[in-house]
Amino acid sequence: MNIEVQLTDAPIAGQISPPASVGAHGAFVEFRGIVRAEENGQPIAALEYEAYLEMTLREIRRLLESLVERHPCLAARVIHRVGVVPAGEAAVYVGVISLHRAEAIALLGEFLDRLKQDVPIWKRRALPVAGAPNLKSELPASRPRAAMHSLDEAMAEIRSRCQPLPAVRAPLAETSGRVLRETICAREDLPPFDRSARDGYAILSTETREVFQVVDTLHAADWKPRSLQSGEAVRVATGTALPCGDLRVVMQEHVVRDGDRVRVLKQERASNIRLRGEDVKAGQPLVQAGVRLNAGALALLATAGCAQPLVSPRPRVAHFTTGDELVPPHQSPGPGQIRDCNSSLIRGLLQNIPCDLEQKHLPEDFETAWRQLDRGHLAQADLILVSGGASVGDKDFTRPLLERLGFEIIFAQVNVRPGKPLIFGVHGARVAFGLPGNPLSHFVCFHSAVALALARMAGESAPAFLRAPLAAKLNDEPCPRETLWPARLDWNAGAPRLRPLVWASSGDLACLPTANALIRVPANQGSMSQGAEVDFLPAPGMIFP
Ligand code: AMP
Ligand code: MG
């Protein structure tokens, strides 16, 4: 098929000649998409379109080539306007030539459906009619693609769009740090039988005498029900199942033994018995669904005989670094080169979160990078992270890459410092982030966005901001963006407090070894005094390990 694609900021002509085609044809189908004078019920003067030019041309071509396999047509011409398109004028023109009308109509219909979805052109904003009241310049439909999200909006999007991954049963030994997806109840009483709490001698609880005949010896593993007469004692160990009811245990330390007799030197009040069910009754909940399994929870599940709990799966995470200036840490950088630190940062940050991580470097040329992707394998990844290339530089291809992989971009900028060019995309249950390459931005975006997504995917209630006082003054100039300021959370005489750390720019990672929290500095705030109560985001595992 002959394909002609054009992006233009000039009006689309009223008459357009059919695209060149070889051979006889019986149908020439044309479509013009006209900007309506209304958007979301409000009158508008124009729509502004934005596109990644190179990428858009390529994607339109690719789309047509894939459609023609099913709808054999001879030629197609697509013209899309970018920039401001006044209401009443065409934003898009498509002309298709085929042998019969059915193929051309089918191809045209499907192309228009997929254009919105697959091609990086979007409505950036609606321009209000002069004097129209309160028209929001951001369009809900186009907002995900273009508008800058506030931090709260971005976090709300992540919370609502990231769903728990399907739960799996796993051997208990492999579930540390994973989220329990079922409430585990005790199958039996704990302890399951009356046990001695001491090494000593079991006697009837009513005894007042001093000397006893030792009639039996029971170890911790012995199970030997029997009755006891007054004056009889049974030697027991800590944990021994008691041979009958109505007993008490005299501690070994409080008797003297002489052959098969014992003399009690000190009468105790305590029975020294752990009664059946005194910790937990059968049927009582032990660990609730949604809890991240720590060592204590694992111990309780083990005690309760839950050897294959239903838990969150280990998400598969694919992490790509981009940037031709990067060399691995063991290499000496040449002029203009720097060492890759984000791979280590991401690997380290994910160490505390059960997941299966694969890392790869991608070259900065988009098509070369695209060819190097094992897309079949990548389709298995639950979470894709791309470091760098998230902004608007000539070679920044993260967004088009994610779009070509089929991700819907929910936002591409967050009104926060550092870490503004953060991209968030979803593709079914799969999630992707484009993380701005500067390491401090990486750190911030990880804690405010990636950790949140992983928590939601694990089925955990998402981390939220906490409050604590500042241990020292936070020195800052007022900034129109909110700031997530690196800080050290520690304890002063048992009370938590936050020490703001020094950072020069989003490229400055000198504070990262100390940082374990991010202070939320409101927009236009400037400095904050020592003792001020502030919101902060803890590093995962910081507060509730
Ligand atoms: P980018 O987001 O690609 O524009 O990158 C922003 C800055 O972060 C540039 O100075 C990059 O050199 C730097 N950068 C990007 N990726 C890495 C990385 N993996 N390690 C260290 N610095 C990086
Ligand atoms: Mg880069």
Side-chain angles (χ1 to χ4, degrees):
M1 175 163 73
N2 174 43
I3 297 174
E4 293 164 37
V5 187
Q6 192 190 344
L7 292 185
T8 175
D9 51 13
I12 297 174
Q15 274 275 325
I16 293 174
S17 54
S21 72
V22 182
H25 61 267
F28 172 36
V29 179
E30 282 184 297
F31 168 85
R32 275 163 203 272
I34 312 292
V35 171
R36 274 193 301 268
E38 173 228 279
E39 186 81 24
N40 299 318
Q42 301 267 21
I44 61 164
L47 279 178
E48 188 176 352
Y49 286 86
E50 200 175 306
Y52 287 110
L53 296 182
E54 290 284 293
M55 187 62 47
T56 301
L57 297 177
R58 254 196 319 263
E59 288 302 305
I60 290 179
R61 201 168 274 281
R62 256 168 43 92
L63 180 52
L64 287 168
E65 279 162 1
S66 73
L67 292 176
V68 83
E69 288 169 15
R70 272 181 292 124
H71 311 296
C73 293
L74 300 169
R77 166 175 287 138
V78 177
I79 306 172
H80 205 300
R81 261 183 94 171
V82 288
V84 174
V85 184
E89 292 189 15
V92 58
Y93 167 91
V94 186
V96 183
I97 286 193
S98 63
L99 205 51
H100 310 288
R101 70 175 187 276
E103 301 94 71
I105 291 171
L107 183 134
L108 180 66
E110 221 174 298
F111 173 78
L112 291 168
D113 286 344
R114 300 234 338 238
L115 180 67
K116 254 192 203 160
Q117 202 181 308
D118 294 3
V119 177
I121 307 177
W122 57 94
K123 293 179 194 172
R124 206 169 88 81
R125 61 194 175 117
L127 287 98
V129 176
N134 293 334
L135 175 68
K136 275 197 163 178
S137 63
E138 292 157 358
L139 303 173
S142 63
R143 182 186 178 96
R145 289 184 170 272
M148 174 121 71
H149 274 48
S150 70
L151 181 60
D152 281 332
E153 286 170 332
M155 291 176 82
E157 285 284 12
I158 295 169
R159 264 193 203 100
S160 72
R161 297 201 183 244
C162 297
Q163 296 303 319
L165 297 172
V168 293
R169 289 215 175 268
L172 193 55
E174 293 171 18
T175 59
S176 178
R178 289 159 81 168
V179 172
L180 188 65
R181 292 289 192 78
E182 58 180 347
T183 295
I184 301 295
C185 296
R187 290 185 214 165
E188 63 247 340
D189 291 340
L190 294 178
F193 43 83
D194 293 352
R195 310 172 80 192
S196 172
R198 304 282 182 204
D199 293 308
Y201 293 85
I203 55 174
L204 293 180
S205 60
T206 49
E207 297 279 20
T208 51
R209 68 178 77 210
E210 283 185 7
V211 179
F212 296 86
Q213 179 81 22
V214 180
V215 295
D216 215 338
T217 297
L218 297 179
H219 300 289
D222 290 337
W223 177 256
K224 200 167 170 192
R226 57 164 292 161
S227 57
L228 276 194
Q229 305 299 318
S230 179
E232 291 180 342
V234 171
R235 173 88 172 109
V236 291
T238 303
T240 299
L242 292 167
C244 57
D246 279 336
L247 300 182
R248 65 188 170 93
V249 174
V250 185
M251 286 168 71
Q252 182 176 316
E253 294 85 334
H254 295 166
V255 306
V256 267
R257 177 132 182 195
D258 180 11
D260 58 359
R261 287 175 166 261
V262 280
R263 174 183 295 277
V264 177
L265 302 178
K266 183 178 168 192
Q267 294 292 348
E268 273 185 281
R269 286 240 189 104
S271 73
N272 292 322
I273 290 174
R274 294 180 188 151
L275 292 173
R276 172 180 178 160
E278 76 174 22
D279 300 346
V280 174
K281 293 266 181 289
Q284 212 172 303
L286 294 176
V287 189
Q288 300 282 351
V291 164
R292 204 172 269 281
L293 293 173
N294 61 10
L298 296 183
L300 191 50
L301 294 190
T303 298
C306 179
Q308 294 267 342
L310 191 68
V311 291
S312 54
R314 291 172 69 86
R316 284 156 297 194
V317 182
H319 173 224
F320 298 101
T321 48
T322 66
D324 288 351
E325 74 278 23
L326 301 178
V327 296
H330 63 268
Q331 255 181 40
S332 297
Q337 294 184 321
I338 55 164
R339 294 194 183 93
D340 164 26
C341 68
N342 287 337
S343 300
S344 305
L345 183 61
I346 292 292
R347 202 180 320 115
L349 289 167
L350 288 175
Q351 212 101 64
N352 298 323
I353 300 174
C355 64
D356 295 318
L357 172 67
E358 287 183 25
Q359 295 184 298
K360 183 179 166 72
H361 183 71
L362 290 178
E364 210 148 75
D365 176 66
F366 180 78
E367 292 301 337
T368 315
W370 181 254
R371 281 194 296 276
Q372 288 187 9
L373 290 179
D374 178 350
R375 294 198 294 283
H377 185 59
L378 196 54
Q380 308 295 313
D382 301 302
L383 174 66
I384 297 178
L385 303 175
V386 185
S387 286
S391 195
V392 292
D394 295 341
K395 293 195 161 184
D396 288 346
F397 64 55
T398 298
R399 180 177 180 152
L401 177 84
L402 296 178
E403 285 177 325
R404 200 192 268 187
L405 286 169
F407 282 83
E408 179 195 353
I409 303 302
I410 307 302
F411 57 77
Q413 282 193 333
V414 182
N415 199 11
V416 69
R417 169 185 71 144
K420 179 171 132 188
L422 171 67
I423 301 172
F424 171 53
V426 291
H427 184 3
R430 302 169 62 222
V431 174
F433 288 100
L435 304 169
N438 279 304
L440 195 53
S441 305
H442 245 66
F443 185 82
V444 165
C445 292
F446 183 90
H447 288 96
S448 57
V450 179
L452 185 55
L454 282 167
R456 293 288 300 133
M457 290 161 95
E460 193 181 35
S461 56
F465 284 95
L466 303 173
R467 275 179 89 70
L470 289 182
K473 185 179 176 199
L474 185 153
N475 282 309
D476 192 19
E477 293 297 315
C479 171
R481 280 189 263 159
E482 274 189 87
T483 305
L484 287 176
W485 191 288
R488 177 76 185 178
L489 176 69
D490 57 24
W491 278 262
N492 177 33
R497 55 181 200 163
L498 288 156
R499 185 156 49 85
L501 302 173
V502 174
W503 57 288
S505 74
S506 59
D508 176 5
L509 43 52
C511 67
L512 287 188
T514 319
N516 63 2
L518 295 164
I519 296 170
R520 184 175 199 174
V521 183
N524 306 312
Q525 165 74 45
S527 295
M528 295 168 98
S529 49
Q530 180 183 355
E533 287 276 330
V534 293
D535 287 343
F536 73 98
L537 209 51
M542 180 62 209
I543 303 294
F544 307 110

PDB file of all heavy atoms in Angstrom, residues 490-502:
ATOM      1  N   ASP A 490      14.866  10.252  62.636  1.00  0.00           N
ATOM      2  CA  ASP A 490      15.441   9.484  63.735  1.00  0.00           C
ATOM      3  C   ASP A 490      14.668   9.781  65.017  1.00  0.00           C
ATOM      4  O   ASP A 490      13.642  10.451  64.989  1.00  0.00           O
ATOM      5  CB  ASP A 490      16.955   9.724  63.883  1.00  0.00           C
ATOM      6  CG  ASP A 490      17.272  11.195  64.088  1.00  0.00           C
ATOM      7  OD1 ASP A 490      16.375  11.936  64.554  1.00  0.00           O
ATOM      8  OD2 ASP A 490      18.400  11.608  63.793  1.00  0.00           O
ATOM      9  N   TRP A 491      15.162   9.278  66.129  1.00  0.00           N
ATOM     10  CA  TRP A 491      14.431   9.397  67.377  1.00  0.00           C
ATOM     11  C   TRP A 491      15.230  10.201  68.388  1.00  0.00           C
ATOM     12  O   TRP A 491      16.401   9.937  68.607  1.00  0.00           O
ATOM     13  CB  TRP A 491      14.101   8.006  67.931  1.00  0.00           C
ATOM     14  CG  TRP A 491      12.882   7.469  67.272  1.00  0.00           C
ATOM     15  CD1 TRP A 491      11.616   7.495  67.759  1.00  0.00           C
ATOM     16  CD2 TRP A 491      12.791   6.875  65.978  1.00  0.00           C
ATOM     17  NE1 TRP A 491      10.739   6.952  66.848  1.00  0.00           N
ATOM     18  CE2 TRP A 491      11.431   6.562  65.757  1.00  0.00           C
ATOM     19  CE3 TRP A 491      13.712   6.575  64.979  1.00  0.00           C
ATOM     20  CZ2 TRP A 491      10.982   5.973  64.586  1.00  0.00           C
ATOM     21  CZ3 TRP A 491      13.259   5.985  63.810  1.00  0.00           C
ATOM     22  CH2 TRP A 491      11.907   5.692  63.629  1.00  0.00           C
ATOM     23  N   ASN A 492      14.585  11.196  68.983  1.00  0.00           N
ATOM     24  CA  ASN A 492      15.224  12.016  69.987  1.00  0.00           C
ATOM     25  C   ASN A 492      14.507  11.714  71.295  1.00  0.00           C
ATOM     26  O   ASN A 492      13.337  12.052  71.449  1.00  0.00           O
ATOM     27  CB  ASN A 492      15.059  13.498  69.606  1.00  0.00           C
ATOM     28  CG  ASN A 492      15.629  14.405  70.652  1.00  0.00           C
ATOM     29  OD1 ASN A 492      16.603  14.054  71.295  1.00  0.00           O
ATOM     30  ND2 ASN A 492      15.004  15.564  70.819  1.00  0.00           N
ATOM     31  N   ALA A 493      15.183  11.043  72.209  1.00  0.00           N
ATOM     32  CA  ALA A 493      14.572  10.611  73.472  1.00  0.00           C
ATOM     33  C   ALA A 493      13.240   9.912  73.207  1.00  0.00           C
ATOM     34  O   ALA A 493      12.232  10.189  73.867  1.00  0.00           O
ATOM     35  CB  ALA A 493      14.392  11.814  74.398  1.00  0.00           C
ATOM     36  N   GLY A 494      13.229   9.055  72.218  1.00  0.00           N
ATOM     37  CA  GLY A 494      12.042   8.244  71.940  1.00  0.00           C
ATOM     38  C   GLY A 494      11.024   8.886  71.024  1.00  0.00           C
ATOM     39  O   GLY A 494      10.077   8.236  70.609  1.00  0.00           O
ATOM     40  N   ALA A 495      11.193  10.181  70.702  1.00  0.00           N
ATOM     41  CA  ALA A 495      10.210  10.848  69.844  1.00  0.00           C
ATOM     42  C   ALA A 495      10.784  11.029  68.437  1.00  0.00           C
ATOM     43  O   ALA A 495      11.943  11.409  68.297  1.00  0.00           O
ATOM     44  CB  ALA A 495       9.857  12.210  70.433  1.00  0.00           C
ATOM     45  N   PRO A 496       9.977  10.746  67.397  1.00  0.00           N
ATOM     46  CA  PRO A 496      10.505  10.891  66.042  1.00  0.00           C
ATOM     47  C   PRO A 496      10.719  12.356  65.672  1.00  0.00           C
ATOM     48  O   PRO A 496       9.993  13.238  66.138  1.00  0.00           O
ATOM     49  CB  PRO A 496       9.412  10.273  65.168  1.00  0.00           C
ATOM     50  CG  PRO A 496       8.175  10.375  65.976  1.00  0.00           C
ATOM     51  CD  PRO A 496       8.588  10.323  67.416  1.00  0.00           C
ATOM     52  N   ARG A 497      11.731  12.611  64.858  1.00  0.00           N
ATOM     53  CA  ARG A 497      11.963  13.965  64.370  1.00  0.00           C
ATOM     54  C   ARG A 497      12.694  13.863  63.039  1.00  0.00           C
ATOM     55  O   ARG A 497      13.340  12.854  62.746  1.00  0.00           O
ATOM     56  CB  ARG A 497      12.761  14.796  65.361  1.00  0.00           C
ATOM     57  CG  ARG A 497      14.048  14.094  65.689  1.00  0.00           C
ATOM     58  CD  ARG A 497      14.885  14.813  66.660  1.00  0.00           C
ATOM     59  NE  ARG A 497      16.232  14.274  66.498  1.00  0.00           N
ATOM     60  CZ  ARG A 497      17.314  14.840  66.927  1.00  0.00           C
ATOM     61  NH1 ARG A 497      17.256  15.986  67.546  1.00  0.00           N
ATOM     62  NH2 ARG A 497      18.487  14.288  66.756  1.00  0.00           N
ATOM     63  N   LEU A 498      12.581  14.938  62.276  1.00  0.00           N
ATOM     64  CA  LEU A 498      13.100  14.921  60.913  1.00  0.00           C
ATOM     65  C   LEU A 498      14.212  15.950  60.748  1.00  0.00           C
ATOM     66  O   LEU A 498      14.007  17.134  61.048  1.00  0.00           O
ATOM     67  CB  LEU A 498      11.976  15.281  59.935  1.00  0.00           C
ATOM     68  CG  LEU A 498      10.916  14.196  59.745  1.00  0.00           C
ATOM     69  CD1 LEU A 498       9.615  14.823  59.284  1.00  0.00           C
ATOM     70  CD2 LEU A 498      11.392  13.151  58.754  1.00  0.00           C
ATOM     71  N   ARG A 499      15.331  15.486  60.274  1.00  0.00           N
ATOM     72  CA  ARG A 499      16.442  16.412  60.036  1.00  0.00           C
ATOM     73  C   ARG A 499      16.533  16.651  58.527  1.00  0.00           C
ATOM     74  O   ARG A 499      16.806  15.733  57.759  1.00  0.00           O
ATOM     75  CB  ARG A 499      17.737  15.779  60.542  1.00  0.00           C
ATOM     76  CG  ARG A 499      18.949  16.675  60.467  1.00  0.00           C
ATOM     77  CD  ARG A 499      19.992  16.236  61.493  1.00  0.00           C
ATOM     78  NE  ARG A 499      20.265  14.797  61.456  1.00  0.00           N
ATOM     79  CZ  ARG A 499      21.135  14.223  60.621  1.00  0.00           C
ATOM     80  NH1 ARG A 499      21.794  14.947  59.750  1.00  0.00           N
ATOM     81  NH2 ARG A 499      21.349  12.917  60.663  1.00  0.00           N
ATOM     82  N   PRO A 500      16.246  17.887  58.075  1.00  0.00           N
ATOM     83  CA  PRO A 500      16.341  18.155  56.635  1.00  0.00           C
ATOM     84  C   PRO A 500      17.793  18.020  56.183  1.00  0.00           C
ATOM     85  O   PRO A 500      18.699  18.477  56.881  1.00  0.00           O
ATOM     86  CB  PRO A 500      15.869  19.603  56.492  1.00  0.00           C
ATOM     87  CG  PRO A 500      15.309  19.993  57.811  1.00  0.00           C
ATOM     88  CD  PRO A 500      15.878  19.082  58.847  1.00  0.00           C
ATOM     89  N   LEU A 501      18.020  17.385  55.039  1.00  0.00           N
ATOM     90  CA  LEU A 501      19.384  17.198  54.537  1.00  0.00           C
ATOM     91  C   LEU A 501      19.685  18.260  53.485  1.00  0.00           C
ATOM     92  O   LEU A 501      18.783  18.887  52.926  1.00  0.00           O
ATOM     93  CB  LEU A 501      19.535  15.796  53.953  1.00  0.00           C
ATOM     94  CG  LEU A 501      19.228  14.671  54.954  1.00  0.00           C
ATOM     95  CD1 LEU A 501      19.240  13.311  54.265  1.00  0.00           C
ATOM     96  CD2 LEU A 501      20.212  14.688  56.125  1.00  0.00           C
ATOM     97  N   VAL A 502      20.965  18.441  53.245  1.00  0.00           N
ATOM     98  CA  VAL A 502      21.375  19.464  52.275  1.00  0.00           C
ATOM     99  C   VAL A 502      21.448  18.824  50.893  1.00  0.00           C
ATOM    100  O   VAL A 502      21.971  17.724  50.747  1.00  0.00           O
ATOM    101  CB  VAL A 502      22.767  20.014  52.666  1.00  0.00           C
ATOM    102  CG1 VAL A 502      23.285  20.977  51.606  1.00  0.00           C
ATOM    103  CG2 VAL A 502      22.679  20.706  54.023  1.00  0.00           C
TER     104      VAL A 502
END
